[in-house]
PDB file of all heavy atoms in Angstrom:
ATOM      1  N   ARG A  68      89.302  92.286 113.244  1.00 97.00           N
ATOM      2  CA  ARG A  68      88.925  91.573 111.996  1.00 97.00           C
ATOM      3  C   ARG A  68      87.663  92.192 111.390  1.00 97.00           C
ATOM      4  O   ARG A  68      87.562  92.390 110.177  1.00 97.00           O
ATOM      5  CB  ARG A  68      88.706  90.088 112.276  1.00 97.00           C
ATOM      6  CG  ARG A  68      89.982  89.325 112.597  1.00 97.00           C
ATOM      7  CD  ARG A  68      89.781  87.816 112.435  1.00 97.00           C
ATOM      8  NE  ARG A  68      90.886  87.077 113.032  1.00 97.00           N
ATOM      9  CZ  ARG A  68      92.096  86.927 112.490  1.00 97.00           C
ATOM     10  NH1 ARG A  68      92.366  87.489 111.320  1.00 97.00           N
ATOM     11  NH2 ARG A  68      93.026  86.230 113.105  1.00 97.00           N
ATOM     12  N   LYS A  69      86.708  92.516 112.256  1.00 95.00           N
ATOM     13  CA  LYS A  69      85.443  93.102 111.808  1.00 95.00           C
ATOM     14  C   LYS A  69      85.685  94.478 111.164  1.00 95.00           C
ATOM     15  O   LYS A  69      85.124  94.801 110.107  1.00 95.00           O
ATOM     16  CB  LYS A  69      84.526  93.238 113.033  1.00 95.00           C
ATOM     17  CG  LYS A  69      83.041  93.330 112.730  1.00 95.00           C
ATOM     18  CD  LYS A  69      82.308  93.195 114.063  1.00 95.00           C
ATOM     19  CE  LYS A  69      80.888  93.711 113.958  1.00 95.00           C
ATOM     20  NZ  LYS A  69      80.235  93.714 115.267  1.00 95.00           N
ATOM     21  N   TRP A  70      86.525  95.277 111.813  1.00 94.00           N
ATOM     22  CA  TRP A  70      86.812  96.612 111.277  1.00 94.00           C
ATOM     23  C   TRP A  70      87.470  96.514 109.906  1.00 94.00           C
ATOM     24  O   TRP A  70      87.132  97.256 108.988  1.00 94.00           O
ATOM     25  CB  TRP A  70      87.727  97.389 112.225  1.00 94.00           C
ATOM     26  CG  TRP A  70      87.189  97.555 113.616  1.00 94.00           C
ATOM     27  CD1 TRP A  70      85.887  97.440 114.021  1.00 94.00           C
ATOM     28  CD2 TRP A  70      87.943  97.850 114.793  1.00 94.00           C
ATOM     29  NE1 TRP A  70      85.790  97.638 115.373  1.00 94.00           N
ATOM     30  CE2 TRP A  70      87.027  97.895 115.878  1.00 94.00           C
ATOM     31  CE3 TRP A  70      89.296  98.082 115.051  1.00 94.00           C
ATOM     32  CZ2 TRP A  70      87.427  98.164 117.182  1.00 94.00           C
ATOM     33  CZ3 TRP A  70      89.704  98.355 116.345  1.00 94.00           C
ATOM     34  CH2 TRP A  70      88.769  98.399 117.405  1.00 94.00           C
ATOM     35  N   ARG A  71      88.417  95.573 109.795  1.00 95.00           N
ATOM     36  CA  ARG A  71      89.133  95.433 108.521  1.00 95.00           C
ATOM     37  C   ARG A  71      88.200  94.939 107.418  1.00 95.00           C
ATOM     38  O   ARG A  71      88.296  95.377 106.267  1.00 95.00           O
ATOM     39  CB  ARG A  71      90.328  94.497 108.696  1.00 95.00           C
ATOM     40  CG  ARG A  71      91.438  95.118 109.548  1.00 95.00           C
ATOM     41  CD  ARG A  71      92.564  94.132 109.780  1.00 95.00           C
ATOM     42  NE  ARG A  71      93.211  93.773 108.532  1.00 95.00           N
ATOM     43  CZ  ARG A  71      94.242  94.423 107.988  1.00 95.00           C
ATOM     44  NH1 ARG A  71      94.740  95.484 108.610  1.00 95.00           N
ATOM     45  NH2 ARG A  71      94.778  94.029 106.863  1.00 95.00           N
ATOM     46  N   GLU A  72      87.294  94.037 107.793  1.00 94.00           N
ATOM     47  CA  GLU A  72      86.316  93.558 106.808  1.00 94.00           C
ATOM     48  C   GLU A  72      85.426  94.708 106.322  1.00 94.00           C
ATOM     49  O   GLU A  72      84.934  94.701 105.195  1.00 94.00           O
ATOM     50  CB  GLU A  72      85.450  92.442 107.406  1.00 94.00           C
ATOM     51  CG  GLU A  72      86.161  91.086 107.455  1.00 94.00           C
ATOM     52  CD  GLU A  72      85.478  90.112 108.398  1.00 94.00           C
ATOM     53  OE1 GLU A  72      84.311  90.355 108.779  1.00 94.00           O
ATOM     54  OE2 GLU A  72      86.118  89.101 108.758  1.00 94.00           O
ATOM     55  N   ALA A  73      85.224  95.696 107.197  1.00 92.00           N
ATOM     56  CA  ALA A  73      84.406  96.863 106.836  1.00 92.00           C
ATOM     57  C   ALA A  73      85.214  97.897 106.040  1.00 92.00           C
ATOM     58  O   ALA A  73      84.710  98.962 105.705  1.00 92.00           O
ATOM     59  CB  ALA A  73      83.841  97.502 108.097  1.00 92.00           C
ATOM     60  N   GLY A  74      86.473  97.572 105.755  1.00 93.00           N
ATOM     61  CA  GLY A  74      87.300  98.452 104.923  1.00 93.00           C
ATOM     62  C   GLY A  74      88.136  99.446 105.690  1.00 93.00           C
ATOM     63  O   GLY A  74      88.724 100.355 105.103  1.00 93.00           O
ATOM     64  N   MET A  75      88.188  99.303 107.019  1.00 95.00           N
ATOM     65  CA  MET A  75      88.984 100.241 107.813  1.00 95.00           C
ATOM     66  C   MET A  75      90.430  99.766 107.958  1.00 95.00           C
ATOM     67  O   MET A  75      90.712  98.577 107.848  1.00 95.00           O
ATOM     68  CB  MET A  75      88.361 100.406 109.198  1.00 95.00           C
ATOM     69  CG  MET A  75      87.001 101.043 109.130  1.00 95.00           C
ATOM     70  SD  MET A  75      86.197 101.036 110.725  1.00 95.00           S
ATOM     71  CE  MET A  75      84.498 101.040 110.194  1.00 95.00           C
ATOM     72  N   LYS A  76      91.294 100.718 108.241  1.00 97.00           N
ATOM     73  CA  LYS A  76      92.699 100.391 108.480  1.00 97.00           C
ATOM     74  C   LYS A  76      92.997 100.564 109.964  1.00 97.00           C
ATOM     75  O   LYS A  76      92.418 101.420 110.626  1.00 97.00           O
ATOM     76  CB  LYS A  76      93.606 101.279 107.631  1.00 97.00           C
ATOM     77  CG  LYS A  76      93.463 100.990 106.141  1.00 97.00           C
ATOM     78  CD  LYS A  76      94.547 101.662 105.340  1.00 97.00           C
ATOM     79  CE  LYS A  76      94.476 101.200 103.890  1.00 97.00           C
ATOM     80  NZ  LYS A  76      95.560 101.772 103.081  1.00 97.00           N
ATOM     81  N   VAL A  77      93.911  99.740 110.446  1.00 98.00           N
ATOM     82  CA  VAL A  77      94.235  99.741 111.876  1.00 98.00           C
ATOM     83  C   VAL A  77      95.748  99.897 112.043  1.00 98.00           C
ATOM     84  O   VAL A  77      96.526  99.151 111.441  1.00 98.00           O
ATOM     85  CB  VAL A  77      93.763  98.427 112.550  1.00 98.00           C
ATOM     86  CG1 VAL A  77      94.079  98.447 114.049  1.00 98.00           C
ATOM     87  CG2 VAL A  77      92.277  98.214 112.322  1.00 98.00           C
ATOM     88  N   TYR A  78      96.118 100.874 112.852  1.00 98.00           N
ATOM     89  CA  TYR A  78      97.540 101.149 113.100  1.00 98.00           C
ATOM     90  C   TYR A  78      97.821 101.111 114.601  1.00 98.00           C
ATOM     91  O   TYR A  78      96.935 101.357 115.409  1.00 98.00           O
ATOM     92  CB  TYR A  78      97.916 102.537 112.562  1.00 98.00           C
ATOM     93  CG  TYR A  78      97.789 102.677 111.071  1.00 98.00           C
ATOM     94  CD1 TYR A  78      96.558 102.995 110.494  1.00 98.00           C
ATOM     95  CD2 TYR A  78      98.892 102.483 110.236  1.00 98.00           C
ATOM     96  CE1 TYR A  78      96.429 103.128 109.118  1.00 98.00           C
ATOM     97  CE2 TYR A  78      98.770 102.606 108.858  1.00 98.00           C
ATOM     98  CZ  TYR A  78      97.536 102.929 108.296  1.00 98.00           C
ATOM     99  OH  TYR A  78      97.416 103.048 106.941  1.00 98.00           O
ATOM    100  N   VAL A  79      99.077 100.824 114.928  1.00 98.00           N
ATOM    101  CA  VAL A  79      99.514 100.860 116.328  1.00 98.00           C
ATOM    102  C   VAL A  79     100.418 102.082 116.516  1.00 98.00           C
ATOM    103  O   VAL A  79     101.319 102.321 115.709  1.00 98.00           O
ATOM    104  CB  VAL A  79     100.305  99.587 116.714  1.00 98.00           C
ATOM    105  CG1 VAL A  79     100.698  99.648 118.196  1.00 98.00           C
ATOM    106  CG2 VAL A  79      99.505  98.340 116.431  1.00 98.00           C
ATOM    107  N   TYR A  80     100.166 102.848 117.577  1.00 97.00           N
ATOM    108  CA  TYR A  80     101.042 103.958 117.968  1.00 97.00           C
ATOM    109  C   TYR A  80     101.393 103.737 119.431  1.00 97.00           C
ATOM    110  O   TYR A  80     100.510 103.737 120.290  1.00 97.00           O
ATOM    111  CB  TYR A  80     100.315 105.290 117.765  1.00 97.00           C
ATOM    112  CG  TYR A  80     101.088 106.529 118.183  1.00 97.00           C
ATOM    113  CD1 TYR A  80     102.488 106.579 118.134  1.00 97.00           C
ATOM    114  CD2 TYR A  80     100.420 107.675 118.609  1.00 97.00           C
ATOM    115  CE1 TYR A  80     103.174 107.718 118.500  1.00 97.00           C
ATOM    116  CE2 TYR A  80     101.094 108.827 118.968  1.00 97.00           C
ATOM    117  CZ  TYR A  80     102.479 108.843 118.919  1.00 97.00           C
ATOM    118  OH  TYR A  80     103.168 109.984 119.283  1.00 97.00           O
ATOM    119  N   SER A  81     102.666 103.501 119.695  1.00 93.00           N
ATOM    120  CA  SER A  81     103.089 103.154 121.052  1.00 93.00           C
ATOM    121  C   SER A  81     104.388 103.850 121.406  1.00 93.00           C
ATOM    122  O   SER A  81     105.201 104.161 120.533  1.00 93.00           O
ATOM    123  CB  SER A  81     103.272 101.628 121.155  1.00 93.00           C
ATOM    124  OG  SER A  81     103.830 101.274 122.402  1.00 93.00           O
ATOM    125  N   SER A  82     104.588 104.087 122.703  1.00 86.00           N
ATOM    126  CA  SER A  82     105.880 104.598 123.144  1.00 86.00           C
ATOM    127  C   SER A  82     106.932 103.496 123.098  1.00 86.00           C
ATOM    128  O   SER A  82     108.125 103.756 123.139  1.00 86.00           O
ATOM    129  CB  SER A  82     105.788 105.198 124.551  1.00 86.00           C
ATOM    130  OG  SER A  82     105.133 104.314 125.416  1.00 86.00           O
ATOM    131  N   GLY A  83     106.497 102.236 123.018  1.00 83.00           N
ATOM    132  CA  GLY A  83     107.417 101.125 122.772  1.00 83.00           C
ATOM    133  C   GLY A  83     107.854 101.150 121.312  1.00 83.00           C
ATOM    134  O   GLY A  83     107.084 101.536 120.433  1.00 83.00           O
ATOM    135  N   SER A  84     109.089 100.745 121.038  1.00 84.00           N
ATOM    136  CA  SER A  84     109.619 100.807 119.676  1.00 84.00           C
ATOM    137  C   SER A  84     108.793  99.937 118.724  1.00 84.00           C
ATOM    138  O   SER A  84     108.119  98.991 119.140  1.00 84.00           O
ATOM    139  CB  SER A  84     111.071 100.329 119.649  1.00 84.00           C
ATOM    140  OG  SER A  84     111.136  98.938 119.918  1.00 84.00           O
ATOM    141  N   VAL A  85     108.874 100.252 117.433  1.00 90.00           N
ATOM    142  CA  VAL A  85     108.186  99.441 116.420  1.00 90.00           C
ATOM    143  C   VAL A  85     108.644  97.985 116.521  1.00 90.00           C
ATOM    144  O   VAL A  85     107.837  97.058 116.422  1.00 90.00           O
ATOM    145  CB  VAL A  85     108.439 100.010 114.999  1.00 90.00           C
ATOM    146  CG1 VAL A  85     107.988  99.028 113.927  1.00 90.00           C
ATOM    147  CG2 VAL A  85     107.729 101.353 114.842  1.00 90.00           C
ATOM    148  N   GLU A  86     109.945  97.782 116.747  1.00 89.00           N
ATOM    149  CA  GLU A  86     110.473  96.414 116.877  1.00 89.00           C
ATOM    150  C   GLU A  86     109.800  95.695 118.051  1.00 89.00           C
ATOM    151  O   GLU A  86     109.398  94.527 117.933  1.00 89.00           O
ATOM    152  CB  GLU A  86     111.989  96.446 117.068  1.00 89.00           C
ATOM    153  CG  GLU A  86     112.609  95.046 117.109  1.00 89.00           C
ATOM    154  CD  GLU A  86     114.114  95.070 117.366  1.00 89.00           C
ATOM    155  OE1 GLU A  86     114.589  95.983 118.064  1.00 89.00           O
ATOM    156  OE2 GLU A  86     114.806  94.159 116.874  1.00 89.00           O
ATOM    157  N   ALA A  87     109.666  96.385 119.192  1.00 87.00           N
ATOM    158  CA  ALA A  87     109.029  95.783 120.375  1.00 87.00           C
ATOM    159  C   ALA A  87     107.556  95.485 120.105  1.00 87.00           C
ATOM    160  O   ALA A  87     107.025  94.459 120.530  1.00 87.00           O
ATOM    161  CB  ALA A  87     109.176  96.710 121.584  1.00 87.00           C
ATOM    162  N   GLN A  88     106.876  96.384 119.385  1.00 93.00           N
ATOM    163  CA  GLN A  88     105.474  96.155 119.032  1.00 93.00           C
ATOM    164  C   GLN A  88     105.328  94.886 118.198  1.00 93.00           C
ATOM    165  O   GLN A  88     104.440  94.055 118.427  1.00 93.00           O
ATOM    166  CB  GLN A  88     104.935  97.335 118.218  1.00 93.00           C
ATOM    167  CG  GLN A  88     104.845  98.657 118.946  1.00 93.00           C
ATOM    168  CD  GLN A  88     104.485  99.771 117.983  1.00 93.00           C
ATOM    169  OE1 GLN A  88     103.689  99.582 117.071  1.00 93.00           O
ATOM    170  NE2 GLN A  88     105.072 100.944 118.164  1.00 93.00           N
ATOM    171  N   LYS A  89     106.212  94.738 117.214  1.00 95.00           N
ATOM    172  CA  LYS A  89     106.112  93.591 116.307  1.00 95.00           C
ATOM    173  C   LYS A  89     106.386  92.273 117.042  1.00 95.00           C
ATOM    174  O   LYS A  89     105.799  91.247 116.712  1.00 95.00           O
ATOM    175  CB  LYS A  89     107.062  93.776 115.120  1.00 95.00           C
ATOM    176  CG  LYS A  89     106.566  94.863 114.172  1.00 95.00           C
ATOM    177  CD  LYS A  89     107.459  95.018 112.956  1.00 95.00           C
ATOM    178  CE  LYS A  89     106.863  96.035 111.988  1.00 95.00           C
ATOM    179  NZ  LYS A  89     107.730  96.244 110.805  1.00 95.00           N
ATOM    180  N   LEU A  90     107.251  92.319 118.032  1.00 94.00           N
ATOM    181  CA  LEU A  90     107.487  91.121 118.853  1.00 94.00           C
ATOM    182  C   LEU A  90     106.236  90.776 119.653  1.00 94.00           C
ATOM    183  O   LEU A  90     105.808  89.623 119.698  1.00 94.00           O
ATOM    184  CB  LEU A  90     108.669  91.343 119.806  1.00 94.00           C
ATOM    185  CG  LEU A  90     110.063  91.349 119.183  1.00 94.00           C
ATOM    186  CD1 LEU A  90     111.096  91.786 120.206  1.00 94.00           C
ATOM    187  CD2 LEU A  90     110.415  89.981 118.622  1.00 94.00           C
ATOM    188  N   LEU A  91     105.635  91.798 120.286  1.00 95.00           N
ATOM    189  CA  LEU A  91     104.460  91.571 121.122  1.00 95.00           C
ATOM    190  C   LEU A  91     103.310  90.965 120.311  1.00 95.00           C
ATOM    191  O   LEU A  91     102.680  89.998 120.733  1.00 95.00           O
ATOM    192  CB  LEU A  91     104.037  92.886 121.768  1.00 95.00           C
ATOM    193  CG  LEU A  91     102.976  92.801 122.879  1.00 95.00           C
ATOM    194  CD1 LEU A  91     103.175  93.937 123.875  1.00 95.00           C
ATOM    195  CD2 LEU A  91     101.563  92.862 122.328  1.00 95.00           C
ATOM    196  N   PHE A  92     103.055  91.528 119.122  1.00 97.00           N
ATOM    197  CA  PHE A  92     101.936  91.046 118.309  1.00 97.00           C
ATOM    198  C   PHE A  92     102.304  89.805 117.487  1.00 97.00           C
ATOM    199  O   PHE A  92     101.427  89.046 117.092  1.00 97.00           O
ATOM    200  CB  PHE A  92     101.423  92.165 117.397  1.00 97.00           C
ATOM    201  CG  PHE A  92     100.805  93.304 118.154  1.00 97.00           C
ATOM    202  CD1 PHE A  92     101.377  94.570 118.146  1.00 97.00           C
ATOM    203  CD2 PHE A  92      99.649  93.117 118.900  1.00 97.00           C
ATOM    204  CE1 PHE A  92     100.812  95.626 118.859  1.00 97.00           C
ATOM    205  CE2 PHE A  92      99.075  94.167 119.624  1.00 97.00           C
ATOM    206  CZ  PHE A  92      99.664  95.411 119.594  1.00 97.00           C
ATOM    207  N   GLY A  93     103.600  89.628 117.233  1.00 97.00           N
ATOM    208  CA  GLY A  93     104.042  88.445 116.484  1.00 97.00           C
ATOM    209  C   GLY A  93     104.060  87.190 117.332  1.00 97.00           C
ATOM    210  O   GLY A  93     103.906  86.074 116.821  1.00 97.00           O
ATOM    211  N   TYR A  94     104.266  87.365 118.637  1.00 97.00           N
ATOM    212  CA  TYR A  94     104.317  86.222 119.570  1.00 97.00           C
ATOM    213  C   TYR A  94     103.291  86.459 120.677  1.00 97.00           C
ATOM    214  O   TYR A  94     103.639  86.611 121.843  1.00 97.00           O
ATOM    215  CB  TYR A  94     105.716  86.085 120.172  1.00 97.00           C
ATOM    216  CG  TYR A  94     106.808  85.789 119.172  1.00 97.00           C
ATOM    217  CD1 TYR A  94     107.565  86.818 118.618  1.00 97.00           C
ATOM    218  CD2 TYR A  94     107.101  84.476 118.778  1.00 97.00           C
ATOM    219  CE1 TYR A  94     108.576  86.561 117.696  1.00 97.00           C
ATOM    220  CE2 TYR A  94     108.119  84.212 117.867  1.00 97.00           C
ATOM    221  CZ  TYR A  94     108.847  85.252 117.329  1.00 97.00           C
ATOM    222  OH  TYR A  94     109.848  84.981 116.426  1.00 97.00           O
ATOM    223  N   SER A  95     102.031  86.518 120.304  1.00 97.00           N
ATOM    224  CA  SER A  95     101.001  86.863 121.284  1.00 97.00           C
ATOM    225  C   SER A  95     100.246  85.639 121.772  1.00 97.00           C
ATOM    226  O   SER A  95     100.371  84.540 121.218  1.00 97.00           O
ATOM    227  CB  SER A  95     100.003  87.851 120.655  1.00 97.00           C
ATOM    228  OG  SER A  95      98.985  87.170 119.942  1.00 97.00           O
ATOM    229  N   THR A  96      99.421  85.838 122.800  1.00 96.00           N
ATOM    230  CA  THR A  96      98.574  84.760 123.313  1.00 96.00           C
ATOM    231  C   THR A  96      97.524  84.345 122.283  1.00 96.00           C
ATOM    232  O   THR A  96      96.911  83.295 122.403  1.00 96.00           O
ATOM    233  CB  THR A  96      97.866  85.211 124.608  1.00 96.00           C
ATOM    234  OG1 THR A  96      97.272  86.510 124.392  1.00 96.00           O
ATOM    235  CG2 THR A  96      98.849  85.309 125.766  1.00 96.00           C
ATOM    236  N   GLU A  97      97.333  85.175 121.233  1.00 97.00           N
ATOM    237  CA  GLU A  97      96.411  84.845 120.137  1.00 97.00           C
ATOM    238  C   GLU A  97      97.171  84.407 118.894  1.00 97.00           C
ATOM    239  O   GLU A  97      96.602  84.348 117.801  1.00 97.00           O
ATOM    240  CB  GLU A  97      95.544  86.076 119.804  1.00 97.00           C
ATOM    241  CG  GLU A  97      94.715  86.591 120.966  1.00 97.00           C
ATOM    242  CD  GLU A  97      93.614  85.622 121.376  1.00 97.00           C
ATOM    243  OE1 GLU A  97      92.885  85.156 120.494  1.00 97.00           O
ATOM    244  OE2 GLU A  97      93.503  85.327 122.582  1.00 97.00           O
ATOM    245  N   GLY A  98      98.460  84.099 119.045  1.00 96.00           N
ATOM    246  CA  GLY A  98      99.286  83.714 117.901  1.00 96.00           C
ATOM    247  C   GLY A  98      99.900  84.932 117.225  1.00 96.00           C
ATOM    248  O   GLY A  98      99.958  86.021 117.798  1.00 96.00           O
ATOM    249  N   ASP A  99     100.351  84.769 115.986  1.00 97.00           N
ATOM    250  CA  ASP A  99     100.939  85.868 115.224  1.00 97.00           C
ATOM    251  C   ASP A  99      99.804  86.675 114.605  1.00 97.00           C
ATOM    252  O   ASP A  99      99.126  86.212 113.690  1.00 97.00           O
ATOM    253  CB  ASP A  99     101.851  85.309 114.122  1.00 97.00           C
ATOM    254  CG  ASP A  99     102.519  86.414 113.296  1.00 97.00           C
ATOM    255  OD1 ASP A  99     102.160  87.595 113.481  1.00 97.00           O
ATOM    256  OD2 ASP A  99     103.385  86.088 112.477  1.00 97.00           O
ATOM    257  N   ILE A 100      99.582  87.895 115.120  1.00 98.00           N
ATOM    258  CA  ILE A 100      98.464  88.710 114.621  1.00 98.00           C
ATOM    259  C   ILE A 100      98.960  89.983 113.919  1.00 98.00           C
ATOM    260  O   ILE A 100      98.211  90.948 113.748  1.00 98.00           O
ATOM    261  CB  ILE A 100      97.477  89.071 115.762  1.00 98.00           C
ATOM    262  CG1 ILE A 100      98.183  89.826 116.894  1.00 98.00           C
ATOM    263  CG2 ILE A 100      96.780  87.827 116.285  1.00 98.00           C
ATOM    264  CD1 ILE A 100      97.220  90.408 117.931  1.00 98.00           C
ATOM    265  N   LEU A 101     100.208  89.963 113.474  1.00 98.00           N
ATOM    266  CA  LEU A 101     100.766  91.139 112.803  1.00 98.00           C
ATOM    267  C   LEU A 101      99.986  91.506 111.548  1.00 98.00           C
ATOM    268  O   LEU A 101      99.917  92.672 111.169  1.00 98.00           O
ATOM    269  CB  LEU A 101     102.239  90.892 112.449  1.00 98.00           C
ATOM    270  CG  LEU A 101     103.242  91.081 113.588  1.00 98.00           C
ATOM    271  CD1 LEU A 101     104.617  90.606 113.168  1.00 98.00           C
ATOM    272  CD2 LEU A 101     103.293  92.537 114.029  1.00 98.00           C
ATOM    273  N   GLU A 102      99.391  90.512 110.900  1.00 98.00           N
ATOM    274  CA  GLU A 102      98.648  90.764 109.659  1.00 98.00           C
ATOM    275  C   GLU A 102      97.443  91.690 109.885  1.00 98.00           C
ATOM    276  O   GLU A 102      96.898  92.249 108.932  1.00 98.00           O
ATOM    277  CB  GLU A 102      98.160  89.447 109.066  1.00 98.00           C
ATOM    278  CG  GLU A 102      97.161  88.737 109.982  1.00 98.00           C
ATOM    279  CD  GLU A 102      96.547  87.483 109.374  1.00 98.00           C
ATOM    280  OE1 GLU A 102      97.097  86.961 108.391  1.00 98.00           O
ATOM    281  OE2 GLU A 102      95.508  87.050 109.897  1.00 98.00           O
ATOM    282  N   LEU A 103      97.017  91.841 111.138  1.00 98.00           N
ATOM    283  CA  LEU A 103      95.842  92.675 111.430  1.00 98.00           C
ATOM    284  C   LEU A 103      96.152  94.164 111.386  1.00 98.00           C
ATOM    285  O   LEU A 103      95.239  94.986 111.434  1.00 98.00           O
ATOM    286  CB  LEU A 103      95.276  92.331 112.812  1.00 98.00           C
ATOM    287  CG  LEU A 103      94.748  90.911 113.002  1.00 98.00           C
ATOM    288  CD1 LEU A 103      94.210  90.736 114.414  1.00 98.00           C
ATOM    289  CD2 LEU A 103      93.656  90.585 111.979  1.00 98.00           C
ATOM    290  N   PHE A 104      97.434  94.522 111.318  1.00 98.00           N
ATOM    291  CA  PHE A 104      97.804  95.936 111.405  1.00 98.00           C
ATOM    292  C   PHE A 104      98.379  96.445 110.083  1.00 98.00           C
ATOM    293  O   PHE A 104      99.158  95.763 109.430  1.00 98.00           O
ATOM    294  CB  PHE A 104      98.811  96.147 112.540  1.00 98.00           C
ATOM    295  CG  PHE A 104      98.285  95.683 113.868  1.00 98.00           C
ATOM    296  CD1 PHE A 104      98.716  94.488 114.430  1.00 98.00           C
ATOM    297  CD2 PHE A 104      97.319  96.417 114.538  1.00 98.00           C
ATOM    298  CE1 PHE A 104      98.205  94.044 115.636  1.00 98.00           C
ATOM    299  CE2 PHE A 104      96.804  95.986 115.750  1.00 98.00           C
ATOM    300  CZ  PHE A 104      97.242  94.790 116.295  1.00 98.00           C
ATOM    301  N   ASP A 105      97.974  97.644 109.723  1.00 98.00           N
ATOM    302  CA  ASP A 105      98.420  98.255 108.472  1.00 98.00           C
ATOM    303  C   ASP A 105      99.723  99.023 108.632  1.00 98.00           C
ATOM    304  O   ASP A 105     100.327  99.435 107.646  1.00 98.00           O
ATOM    305  CB  ASP A 105      97.330  99.184 107.939  1.00 98.00           C
ATOM    306  CG  ASP A 105      96.089  98.406 107.525  1.00 98.00           C
ATOM    307  OD1 ASP A 105      96.087  97.841 106.425  1.00 98.00           O
ATOM    308  OD2 ASP A 105      95.129  98.340 108.326  1.00 98.00           O
ATOM    309  N   GLY A 106     100.157  99.223 109.871  1.00 98.00           N
ATOM    310  CA  GLY A 106     101.409  99.931 110.099  1.00 98.00           C
ATOM    311  C   GLY A 106     101.628 100.192 111.575  1.00 98.00           C
ATOM    312  O   GLY A 106     100.740  99.977 112.404  1.00 98.00           O
ATOM    313  N   HIS A 107     102.844 100.613 111.891  1.00 98.00           N
ATOM    314  CA  HIS A 107     103.252 100.837 113.285  1.00 98.00           C
ATOM    315  C   HIS A 107     103.956 102.177 113.410  1.00 98.00           C
ATOM    316  O   HIS A 107     104.748 102.554 112.548  1.00 98.00           O
ATOM    317  CB  HIS A 107     104.208  99.732 113.747  1.00 98.00           C
ATOM    318  CG  HIS A 107     103.620  98.361 113.706  1.00 98.00           C
ATOM    319  ND1 HIS A 107     103.138  97.721 114.825  1.00 98.00           N
ATOM    320  CD2 HIS A 107     103.403  97.512 112.671  1.00 98.00           C
ATOM    321  CE1 HIS A 107     102.665  96.536 114.482  1.00 98.00           C
ATOM    322  NE2 HIS A 107     102.813  96.387 113.181  1.00 98.00           N
TER     323      HIS A 107
END
């Protein structure tokens, strides 16, 4: 959140598929945090 407020962009790069990434971050222990990422 702090990085994004400072104008930075945040991306995820994983050997797990984009679909799997979106599930992990969409149903996380911190709730749905997909909005924090600019791309996968």
Side-chain angles (χ1 to χ4, degrees):
R68 290 198 193 283
K69 202 170 162 186
W70 302 340
R71 290 176 64 89
E72 282 163 16
M75 295 173 207
K76 293 192 173 183
V77 181
Y78 296 85
V79 182
Y80 178 30
S81 173
S82 49
S84 68
V85 168
E86 184 183 31
Q88 294 172 38
K89 288 183 175 178
L90 287 171
L91 191 150
F92 294 115
Y94 297 94
S95 86
T96 48
E97 301 292 311
D99 181 352
I100 58 170
L101 280 171
E102 64 175 17
L103 297 181
F104 302 104
D105 294 280
H107 299 259

